[in-house]
């Protein structure tokens, strides 16, 4: 059992970090930034780099990612015995690395892609690349050794299912008092992830419904996580009226007078991300000494990373910071 003094310390530390982060009201302060170097100075006031913009972009993105992960791990390591659920949130980075490595294997790359350093939380022996047996043997990813390593879409789908099943099972083992807010947010996250996946597969790849069904994230006993996505398979992609009563209709792009309408998966994804972000920010301080607050902290820091990275990349497309924020639904 985690002692109350430990929880109080962790919550105070979370509030201190969030107070210095670009979340909530502080996000709007980014809207007036016009150049990449200026963004660097705002994020790293005492450690910015004097580099040409072409070199600065990847360098800045790397430092933003490292800063985010460092702050997340610093909180997790405050627990004498970190709950499995929180460890899995950190290990989401390893799952992302696993997807990248599988893609590199399919492309016959001689060296592995750039990997995220999660320290003691890593389980895969990526140094053994490209030997999949040595990389995966004895880890929870060992099941991949029996799969078709050339079907990258199927592999990534199975990784997503495996990850969310592990997260949900770990969450279910926590005391109810520790997971009230988390369950709602993760449930919405899985449902929206499935919905966005369905829209992309239909709109961009014209994939048939029967094949799409096999690519969704299913959690045993939680049909609600897939029901909305399966319902959307019946809606026509170029008829806005068919979507009006759908659960996630508010995230669908509106019709423009005189223009041909078709559903826009990118718009849906941005709106869904904004919804989850706002739900998480609202929940951060509601139950301060439960794991709800730690979960919300992690998700908010990851959202901050996405926002800062999107602004940085937007400059390369002659977008202002304000335009990037509006596109993301962050302000």
């Amino acid at each position: 059992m985690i002692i109350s003094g430990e929880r109080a310390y962790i919550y105070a530390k979370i509030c201190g970090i969030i107070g210095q982060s670009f979340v909530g009201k502080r996000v709007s302060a980014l809207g007036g930034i016009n150049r990449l170097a200026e963004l660097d100075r705002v994020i790293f006031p005492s450690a910015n780099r004097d580099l040409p913009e072409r070199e600065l972009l990847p360098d800045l993105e790397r430092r933003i990612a490292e800063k985010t992960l460092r702050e997340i791990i610093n909180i997790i390591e405050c627990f004498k015995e970190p709950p499995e659920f929180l460890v899995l949130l950190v290990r989401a980075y390893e799952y992302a690395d696993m997807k990248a490595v599988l893609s590199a294997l399919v492309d016959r790359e001689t060296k592995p892609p750039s990997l995220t350093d999660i320290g003691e939380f890593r389980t895969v022996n990526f140094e053994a690349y490209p030997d999949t047996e040595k990389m995966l043997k004895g880890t929870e990813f060992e099941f991949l050794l029996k799969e078709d390593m050339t079907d990258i879409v199927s592999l990534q789908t199975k990784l997503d299912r495996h990850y969310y099943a592990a997260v949900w099972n770990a969450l279910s083992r926590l005391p109810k008092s520790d997971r009230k807010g988390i369950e709602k947010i993760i449930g919405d996250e899985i449902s929206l992830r499935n919905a966005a996946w369905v829209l992309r597969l239909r709109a961009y790849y014209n994939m048939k419904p029967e094949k799409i069904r096999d690519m969704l994230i299913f959690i045993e006993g939680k049909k609600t996580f897939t029901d909305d996505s399966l319902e959307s398979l019946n809606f026509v992609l170029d008829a806005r009226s068919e979507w009006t009563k759908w659960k996630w209709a508010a995230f669908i792009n509106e019709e423009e007078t005189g223009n041909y309408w078709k559903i826009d998966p990118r718009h849906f994804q941005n709106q869904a991300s904004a919804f989850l972000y706002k739900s998480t920010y609202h929940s951060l301080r509601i139950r301060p000494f439960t794991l709800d607050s730690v979960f919300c902290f992690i998700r908010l820091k990851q959202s901050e990373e996405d926002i800062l990275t999107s602004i940085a990349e937007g400059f390369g497309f002659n977008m202002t910071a304000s335009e990037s924020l509006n596109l993301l639904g962050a302000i």
Side-chain angles (χ1 to χ4, degrees), residues 117-148:
D117 182 9
I118 59 173
E120 63 181 296
F121 299 109
R122 178 190 282 187
T123 66
V124 177
N125 179 24
F126 287 121
E127 288 76 12
Y129 180 93
D131 188 327
T132 54
E133 181 86 14
K134 289 183 179 179
M135 280 196 295
L136 307 181
K137 196 71 174 177
T139 74
E140 65 179 289
F141 299 103
E142 190 171 348
F143 74 93
L144 293 172
L145 295 174
K146 299 178 181 179
E147 302 293 335
D148 177 4

Side-chain angles (χ1 to χ4, degrees), residues 202-304:
R202 291 187 66 197
Y204 298 150
Y205 302 101
N206 196 29
M207 193 173 288
K208 301 300 180 184
E210 56 271 18
K211 189 170 183 180
I212 292 175
R213 288 189 183 95
D214 294 334
M215 302 180 74
L216 299 180
I217 299 169
F218 291 93
I219 304 295
E220 187 174 352
K222 290 292 178 180
K223 284 184 63 179
T224 53
F225 295 167
T226 53
D227 282 352
D228 303 319
S229 302
L230 293 174
E231 181 188 9
S232 74
L233 290 171
N234 300 314
F235 304 151
V236 179
L237 295 178
D238 57 0
R240 181 69 171 79
S241 59
E242 295 205 7
W243 299 81
T244 54
K245 294 184 179 180
W246 191 43
K247 179 179 179 179
W248 304 115
F251 304 153
I252 300 296
N253 50 303
E254 295 292 343
E255 290 181 304
E256 296 181 15
T257 304
N259 291 334
Y260 167 76
W261 184 88
K262 188 174 183 179
I263 201 160
D264 183 354
R266 289 172 297 181
H267 179 90
F268 180 87
Q269 180 65 62
N270 287 338
Q271 294 300 308
S273 296
F275 167 77
L276 290 171
Y277 169 79
K278 290 170 184 175
S279 296
T280 304
Y281 184 74
H282 174 72
S283 301
L284 176 66
R285 293 181 173 86
I286 290 180
R287 304 171 69 245
F289 304 117
T290 67
L291 294 187
D292 279 356
S293 61
V294 184
F295 166 77
C296 290
F297 167 78
I298 293 172
R299 283 293 190 262
L300 287 173
K301 291 304 297 184
Q302 291 169 335
S303 294
E304 179 196 39

Side-chain angles (χ1 to χ4, degrees), residues 2 7 10 14 79 82-86 89 171 174-175 177-180 182 287-298:
I2 304 167
R7 291 186 178 229
I10 290 169
I14 283 173
F79 289 92
E84 179 191 5
F85 170 74
L86 296 182
L89 296 183
L171 178 61
L174 293 174
S177 59
D178 246 342
R179 55 183 164 92
K180 184 177 180 180
I182 302 173
R287 304 171 69 245
F289 304 117
T290 67
L291 294 187
D292 279 356
S293 61
V294 184
F295 166 77
C296 290
F297 167 78
I298 293 172

Side-chain angles (χ1 to χ4, degrees), residues 25-51:
K25 294 180 180 179
R26 292 197 80 224
V27 173
S28 59
L30 300 169
I33 296 174
N34 297 309
R35 294 179 60 250
L36 192 61
E38 185 181 356
L39 179 64
D40 187 14
R41 289 194 295 271
V42 169
I43 302 171
F44 300 102
S46 60
N48 51 83
R49 305 286 178 85
D50 183 16
L51 294 171

